Every structure is written in structure tokens, then in C-alpha cells.
Amino acid sequence: MKRLPDSFVKQWVYDDIGQTAPEVSLHQLDKETIHCVLTFELEQTIQQDDWQMRLEPAFLPHFHWAPHLTPTSRHVMDQHCFRSPALIVHDDTKTLMLIPDLDLITKDADARWYMDLDAPNNQLVLGMSRTRVSEHVLFEKVNGASYPSGTIRFGFYLKMADHDQAGLNPWRSLLQFLWDRWGHAQFGQSIREEVRLDSYVRHAYDWAFRHWKETVWQEFEWDGRNVGAPVFIADVSQSPNYPGVANERESRSIWNQAWFSSLRSAQGIYRHGKEQNDPELVRKAMLMKELALAAPQRGGFFPAVIATEMKRVMVDGQQVNRSGSWALAFWGNSNRSPVDPWGAIAAAPYHVLDMSWTALLMLRWHDELEPDPRLLAYAVRYADALVALQDEKGYFPAWLDQDTLAPLDILRESPETSLSVTFLIKLHQLRPDSKYMEAAEQALKVVIQEIVPTGRWEDFETYWSCCGCGRDELPGNKVARNNMFKQCNFSMFWTAEALYHMYKTNGDKRYMIVGQRVLDEMLMTQASWQPPYLYVDVVGGFGVMNCDGEWNDARQSLFAELILQYGVELDQKEYIERGLAALQASFVMMYCPENEKTKGQWERAYPFFNEKDYGFMMENYGHDGVVDEEGRGMGTFTIFDWGNGAAAEAYLRIKGRLGQTLKERYGYDITY
């Protein structure tokens, strides 16, 4: 081939490096895919701040997708966010996908690969430059890149389609391509019989209930009943091996929130306790259930967090954080909200999402583990209040004012609605009532009509977690330069889950078709390869949003079962492998002998770690957009309910519900 197809590409230009032009090689791999490699032979080292190739489609797209945001011409999508990297555009008839050739990205190159998407100027860009992190987390080009003498190779794949299916689901063929080319083989290499997932479960529970017990396990009396749970967060300085003075990162608390769910972790502990005939583990799980039931309902609504006050005190001449007694604890809600973000738990608004998730977990406990009429009654009281909140279009609001219970205006129409759909479907299965299904159907209808086509995946984490970029001006608005919303994959998950369960309830295949589209959009945030410039295993792990830096985020333990459910329902091997890869990745950040790479990184970051710390597990890797061989990117804390305890629950749940199917139908045995 001598040129790219005129029907898809209007213009394609590329820079020289110094005075050296590249040798260009174009090969047609199939009727929809072209592979291009540009090879530079440099006689000497070249200093050049930036190198680019720019491609202009031969049509005017109305849909644009990229893995990261570049709100200005200063910004780029650094290779740090190349999980399933591609630039995608389409109009009503044509789809064009530009994919970096990941085989050509080297570990220590001075000039890092990047992508850019300029929607107003209809331009797709791949390039090389030095970069720096700005805000949390965007990337900007900086000067100073160099190219050593010798051979420099840069390449990409171009996928083109002119059929309706590509527009209906622009990610499906791309995900299959990425997995076939990279993910499948690397996933296969990662399955080692000598590393069994149940060994990670033992590390998690030994860490929480033996080696770090004094820090992690909280047991106390509340309102006349015995309750207990692992603490919300444990800092590395609270290790029994830490040589200095311990410091609490946040106030001692226990959460039943969309991320940090004590009741979810409790179900894993209960399953393991029953399986191992360990009455102490079962007792702990029951105390965690009692704590969830202890949350006081008010008109059906209930708080998500019980917390203690934290103060600054002097210990051995150092000022550190110390929490007060559980006797003086109080109820509140997640402070990851638009009301005083990261402020007072006691003043935070009720979060409908958190309540629907906790109520759903109550129903799952009642249905799957042991019947408890109190759980069902609690969920019914909440459901009746929830249905009354639904607006005329079908949405459930995100937050309720703590005093008046009136809905807040922010995110009144959001895909957080989808989790309430899954809850109402489950309740209808256990306690049939047409009002629950009617509310669920109306809610899902508006999400399908207004959220899915535009990719408006805005939820609490999109703006009110650690990444506040665009918090004031972006909700409800696209980033103009990318023609994309700031997106979080959490709301993609809730929506794909709701669509799956609606399909399983009424058999309407339209829900499955839309559900697969949403699932695939979520899977574009999953690592489909192992970058040589990362220092832990990442295949199968997830990022978070198109404006953040995480790899191997703890949400993969929540996503894994749904990916497998779609895989079984559609009998699609790629989904099965992706789901199992997500499950494996859920344990990768754990400090233990089974994770050789990760263990080495932890010990570089914290040389005092030893066997008493086995099971310690940060919620993600590379959160700030930068990693190195010396342990940068490893983090400083463990959240049992969004880390080791959550991963253990996911494995135990999947083993119990899907283990035999995976073994008999697909040959993957996780039932040991």
C-alpha cells in the first residue's frame, strides 16, 4: 500500500525527527484494518521537543471517544493512560479507529507516546514528547525530549467500518482486536496453577483479623446490640513493624457506601467462615450485618457512615491524628459529595446511590446466605421511600438534603439512577409488587434514551472524589475540544448491571443489546495489555475515569462478576477471559509472596514491611499519574472494604455462583 484510503482519511501528515524523514510501511491486515510503521534511522542523538503524526478523517464525525481528556491544546493523553488505547470517531455511516502499536512502546524512552483528539478541527493525533502531570490527573507536553542515534520505530493500526453495527457499538470490534493481539496471550501467561486465589483470601483475613487486628477490627455496642466491622482505612504507619509514630489518615469510621461497603465485605467473610467451618469468622460477619441494620431509618432513608471524632494530639513529640471512642460515635454520610467535599461526615447529605447499594446487599444476604426478615423489611421501607422520589422522566435524584430530605439539584438526572433499578428488580423478585417494576422500567428507559447515546457518565466520583477537575463548570456539559463528557466507569457498571438484570427478568433482548454496548464502553477502561513501563502486573485491571491515573483500581473486584455474567449469557470467551483477568487483578496490589513484582515494589517504598504485613493492599496503582522502579505509585493505605476484603468477597461470590459453569463450560477451575 502507498496511502491510506481516501474514503476514510482526508489528510495524513507526520513530522521528521530532526532532518530525518521516516521510511513508511503500510500493510492491509484485513478488509477493515491497516498497520502502519514509521522507521527513523538516526545518525546521532536528536533534541526535539515534540513529534507528531496528524490524521484528518474524510467525514465530519458527531461521535468522538478517547481514553483521556485533553481540554486545551497544551494537554495530551500520556502513555500512562494507555489501558485500551484508541481514538474513535464516527458519523452516521463511517467509523474510524486509530490504535497505537503497543509492541513498539519501549520501557525507558525519553520521549513518551501520547494521543490527542481535537474534535472542532477534526484531527486525530499520535505523538512523542516529554510530559508532566497537571491537576489531578491531566497531562501536558513539556520541552526537552531527545531521540538516541539508531532506529526509532513508531506505529499504529487503523480500523475502518462503514456498517451500522460499528456505530451501534463502536467499541466491540476494537476490544476484540486488542484482546486477540495482546490481552489473550498475556492473560494466559498470568494464569499459574501454583498461585491459587484462595491463598489471597487467607492473606486478607489474616491481615485484618490477626496481624493488624488491633488497628483493623472494631467491635463495640450500639443501641443495645453488639456490632463490629473492619475500620474504614488503615495507614501504612499503623503497621506493627512501623518504626515511627502511627498516624490515622482519616477518622476511625465504618462505611456502607458505593465504594467502601462493610456489608459487602461481610458476605465474603460469612461465605469463607461457613466454607472453612470457622465460627469466629461467621460471628464477625454477623456483627457487620447487625451494624448495617443499626443505621437509623428516617422515613425509609438511612445514613451510610458511623464515625468517631478525630483530633490532633502530641505523641512522642510529634503531632498526629487520633480518633475518639466509639461510645461517642455518630451517624452521617459519605463526604465525597457536592456539599462541602471531603468535609464533615455529620453534615453530608443522604446519598440515594449508597442507600440503594446497601439495601440491595441486604436483599442478597437474605436471599443467598441466610434468611433474615429484618433485612427484607428494612429494604422494603427504603424502597417505598425511593419510589416516591422518582421524577416524571424516571430519574432518581443523587442526594437528599440532610434536614429536609428534599432532593438537591446537582445530578438530579444522572446514571446513578441505574443502581436503584437493580435494587428494585431484586426486591420485586423477592416481594413482587408492580410498583417496583414499573419504577425500574421507567428509570431504565430514560437512562437508555438520555445517558447511553451521549456517554454522560457523570456520578459522585466523576467530580467529588480526588479528581475535582471541572467540578464547577462541567456537570451536564461536554469538554468541547474532545466532544466528550468527563466520564466515570462506575456509572457504566451500574447501567450495564441494570440492563443485564432487566433482560434476565423480562427476556427482552433489546436490554441485552444496549447492555453489551455499555459493558464494552466500560471495558475500554480495562487494561488489555501489559505496558513495559509499569512495575506491577496490570492485565485485566481497571482505571476509573477519563481524567485520572489509576491502574488496578479496586472496582475490578466489583466488575468481574458482571463481565462473567455477560460472557456466560452471550457465550463469549473474550468476556470470560476479561472477567477472570479482572478477578485476578483484584489481588495484584496485595503485599504477599505470591505477587513477586508487587512485593518488591512495596519493599522499595516501605523497607520495614515483612510477613506481618502480608495482605496489606492499596486500592490502586499509579494514582497520581507517575510510577517508577523505586516504588512510586504504590500508595500509603489499605481500605478493607475497597481492597483486600472486597477482592476476597468477589472471589468467594464468583466461586459460589459461577464456579461450576466456568469449570464445566470454559475449562477455568476456580472452585478449589
Side-chain angles (χ1 to χ4, degrees), residues 396-417:
F396 298 106
W399 286 281
L400 308 179
D401 182 88
Q402 170 134 167
D403 296 323
T404 66
L405 298 182
L408 303 186
D409 287 335
I410 191 74
L411 292 196
R412 285 191 70 148
E413 299 182 353
S414 84
E416 288 194 0
T417 289

Side-chain angles (χ1 to χ4, degrees), residues 502-526:
M502 187 64 79
Y503 163 74
K504 294 295 285 184
T505 298
N506 65 19
D508 188 336
K509 291 185 178 180
R510 290 175 297 178
Y511 289 114
M512 199 64 177
I513 292 170
V514 180
Q516 186 178 14
R517 172 196 164 103
V518 177
L519 182 79
D520 284 344
E521 188 169 4
M522 183 189 87
L523 289 174
M524 291 299 296
T525 67
Q526 184 184 35

Side-chain angles (χ1 to χ4, degrees), residues 9 243 329 536:
V9 179
V536 301

Side-chain angles (χ1 to χ4, degrees), residues 300-412:
F301 304 120
F302 55 95
V305 181
I306 185 169
T308 64
E309 290 286 355
M310 189 166 68
K311 297 180 179 180
R312 297 288 285 172
V313 301
M314 295 296 296
V315 178
D316 294 341
Q318 296 184 45
Q319 194 173 54
V320 295
N321 295 327
R322 287 290 183 271
S323 294
S325 166
W326 284 109
L328 301 176
F330 58 90
W331 289 97
N333 289 290
S334 168
N335 56 5
R336 278 61 165 178
S337 81
V339 178
D340 188 21
W342 290 67
I345 289 171
Y350 289 98
H351 195 185
V352 172
L353 181 81
D354 296 345
M355 292 186 284
S356 290
W357 176 226
T358 300
L360 174 60
L361 289 168
M362 287 182 172
L363 297 179
R364 288 179 177 175
W365 186 301
H366 175 73
D367 184 40
E368 299 173 13
L369 302 184
E370 43 111 24
D372 187 334
R374 297 175 302 160
L375 294 170
L376 182 59
Y378 196 106
V380 167
R381 290 193 295 270
Y382 168 66
D384 292 341
L386 173 68
V387 169
L389 285 176
Q390 191 169 33
D391 69 16
E392 291 182 358
K393 294 174 74 173
Y395 289 108
F396 298 106
W399 286 281
L400 308 179
D401 182 88
Q402 170 134 167
D403 296 323
T404 66
L405 298 182
L408 303 186
D409 287 335
I410 191 74
L411 292 196
R412 285 191 70 148

